[in-house]
Short mmCIF file of all heavy atoms in Angstrom, two decimals:
data_model
loop_
_atom_site.label_atom_id
_atom_site.label_comp_id
_atom_site.label_asym_id
_atom_site.label_seq_id
_atom_site.Cartn_x
_atom_site.Cartn_y
_atom_site.Cartn_z
N HIS A 669 -4.93 8.71 16.57
CA HIS A 669 -4.70 7.27 16.48
C HIS A 669 -4.53 6.94 15.00
O HIS A 669 -5.51 6.76 14.28
CB HIS A 669 -5.91 6.54 17.07
CG HIS A 669 -5.60 5.18 17.58
ND1 HIS A 669 -4.69 4.94 18.57
CD2 HIS A 669 -6.08 3.96 17.23
CE1 HIS A 669 -4.63 3.64 18.81
NE2 HIS A 669 -5.47 3.03 18.01
N ASP A 670 -3.27 6.89 14.55
CA ASP A 670 -3.07 6.71 13.11
C ASP A 670 -3.08 5.23 12.74
O ASP A 670 -3.27 4.36 13.59
CB ASP A 670 -1.78 7.41 12.65
CG ASP A 670 -0.52 6.82 13.28
OD1 ASP A 670 -0.60 5.72 13.89
OD2 ASP A 670 0.55 7.45 13.16
N ILE A 671 -2.90 4.96 11.45
CA ILE A 671 -2.98 3.58 10.97
C ILE A 671 -1.91 2.72 11.61
O ILE A 671 -2.15 1.56 11.96
CB ILE A 671 -2.88 3.54 9.44
CG1 ILE A 671 -4.10 4.22 8.82
CG2 ILE A 671 -2.76 2.10 8.93
CD1 ILE A 671 -4.08 4.28 7.31
N ASP A 672 -0.72 3.28 11.80
CA ASP A 672 0.34 2.49 12.43
C ASP A 672 -0.05 2.07 13.85
O ASP A 672 0.20 0.94 14.25
CB ASP A 672 1.65 3.30 12.46
CG ASP A 672 2.28 3.44 11.08
OD1 ASP A 672 2.52 2.41 10.44
OD2 ASP A 672 2.52 4.57 10.64
N ALA A 673 -0.68 3.00 14.58
CA ALA A 673 -1.09 2.67 15.95
C ALA A 673 -2.17 1.60 15.95
O ALA A 673 -2.15 0.65 16.74
CB ALA A 673 -1.59 3.93 16.66
N LEU A 674 -3.14 1.76 15.05
CA LEU A 674 -4.22 0.77 14.95
C LEU A 674 -3.65 -0.59 14.56
O LEU A 674 -4.02 -1.63 15.13
CB LEU A 674 -5.23 1.23 13.90
CG LEU A 674 -6.47 0.36 13.77
CD1 LEU A 674 -7.51 0.80 14.79
CD2 LEU A 674 -7.06 0.42 12.38
N ALA A 675 -2.72 -0.59 13.59
CA ALA A 675 -2.14 -1.86 13.12
C ALA A 675 -1.39 -2.55 14.25
O ALA A 675 -1.49 -3.76 14.43
CB ALA A 675 -1.21 -1.60 11.93
N GLU A 676 -0.66 -1.76 15.02
CA GLU A 676 0.09 -2.37 16.12
C GLU A 676 -0.86 -3.00 17.14
O GLU A 676 -0.64 -4.12 17.60
CB GLU A 676 0.98 -1.32 16.78
CG GLU A 676 1.72 -1.90 17.96
CD GLU A 676 3.02 -1.19 18.29
OE1 GLU A 676 3.45 -0.34 17.48
OE2 GLU A 676 3.58 -1.50 19.36
N GLU A 677 -1.93 -2.27 17.48
CA GLU A 677 -2.93 -2.83 18.40
C GLU A 677 -3.50 -4.14 17.88
O GLU A 677 -3.79 -5.06 18.64
CB GLU A 677 -4.10 -1.84 18.50
CG GLU A 677 -4.18 -1.04 19.77
CD GLU A 677 -5.27 0.03 19.66
OE1 GLU A 677 -6.13 -0.02 18.75
OE2 GLU A 677 -5.23 0.93 20.49
N ALA A 678 -3.69 -4.19 16.55
CA ALA A 678 -4.34 -5.35 15.94
C ALA A 678 -3.35 -6.46 15.62
O ALA A 678 -3.75 -7.52 15.13
CB ALA A 678 -5.06 -4.92 14.66
N GLY A 679 -2.06 -6.22 15.88
CA GLY A 679 -1.06 -7.24 15.59
C GLY A 679 -0.84 -7.43 14.10
O GLY A 679 -0.54 -8.52 13.64
N THR A 680 -1.01 -6.35 13.33
CA THR A 680 -0.76 -6.48 11.89
C THR A 680 0.01 -5.25 11.42
O THR A 680 0.63 -4.55 12.24
CB THR A 680 -2.09 -6.67 11.12
OG1 THR A 680 -1.79 -6.80 9.73
CG2 THR A 680 -3.05 -5.49 11.31
N VAL A 681 0.02 -5.03 10.10
CA VAL A 681 0.79 -3.92 9.54
C VAL A 681 -0.15 -2.95 8.84
O VAL A 681 -1.26 -3.32 8.44
CB VAL A 681 1.84 -4.44 8.52
CG1 VAL A 681 2.96 -5.16 9.24
CG2 VAL A 681 1.20 -5.35 7.48
N GLY A 682 0.31 -1.73 8.69
CA GLY A 682 -0.50 -0.69 8.04
C GLY A 682 -0.99 -1.10 6.67
O GLY A 682 -2.10 -0.75 6.26
N TYR A 683 -0.18 -1.87 5.93
CA TYR A 683 -0.58 -2.34 4.61
C TYR A 683 -1.92 -3.07 4.67
O TYR A 683 -2.78 -2.89 3.83
CB TYR A 683 0.43 -3.36 4.04
CG TYR A 683 1.84 -2.88 3.83
CD1 TYR A 683 2.73 -2.77 4.89
CD2 TYR A 683 2.31 -2.61 2.55
CE1 TYR A 683 4.04 -2.38 4.69
CE2 TYR A 683 3.62 -2.22 2.34
CZ TYR A 683 4.49 -2.10 3.42
OH TYR A 683 5.78 -1.72 3.22
N GLU A 684 -2.04 -3.93 5.69
CA GLU A 684 -3.24 -4.76 5.76
C GLU A 684 -4.45 -3.92 6.15
O GLU A 684 -5.56 -4.12 5.64
CB GLU A 684 -3.06 -5.93 6.73
CG GLU A 684 -4.17 -6.94 6.61
CD GLU A 684 -4.07 -8.12 7.55
OE1 GLU A 684 -3.36 -8.04 8.58
OE2 GLU A 684 -4.70 -9.14 7.26
N ILE A 685 -4.24 -2.97 7.06
CA ILE A 685 -5.34 -2.09 7.45
C ILE A 685 -5.83 -1.31 6.22
O ILE A 685 -7.02 -1.27 5.92
CB ILE A 685 -4.89 -1.11 8.56
CG1 ILE A 685 -4.40 -1.87 9.80
CG2 ILE A 685 -6.02 -0.14 8.90
CD1 ILE A 685 -5.43 -2.66 10.53
N LEU A 686 -4.89 -0.72 5.49
CA LEU A 686 -5.26 0.09 4.32
C LEU A 686 -6.03 -0.74 3.30
O LEU A 686 -7.10 -0.33 2.83
CB LEU A 686 -3.99 0.61 3.62
CG LEU A 686 -3.34 1.89 4.14
CD1 LEU A 686 -2.03 2.12 3.40
CD2 LEU A 686 -4.27 3.08 3.95
#
Side-chain angles (χ1 to χ4, degrees):
H669 205 60
D670 64 13
I671 294 178
D672 288 305
L674 185 86
E676 178 155 350
E677 255 172 15
T680 181
V681 289
Y683 299 78
E684 192 181 20
I685 301 294
L686 276 174

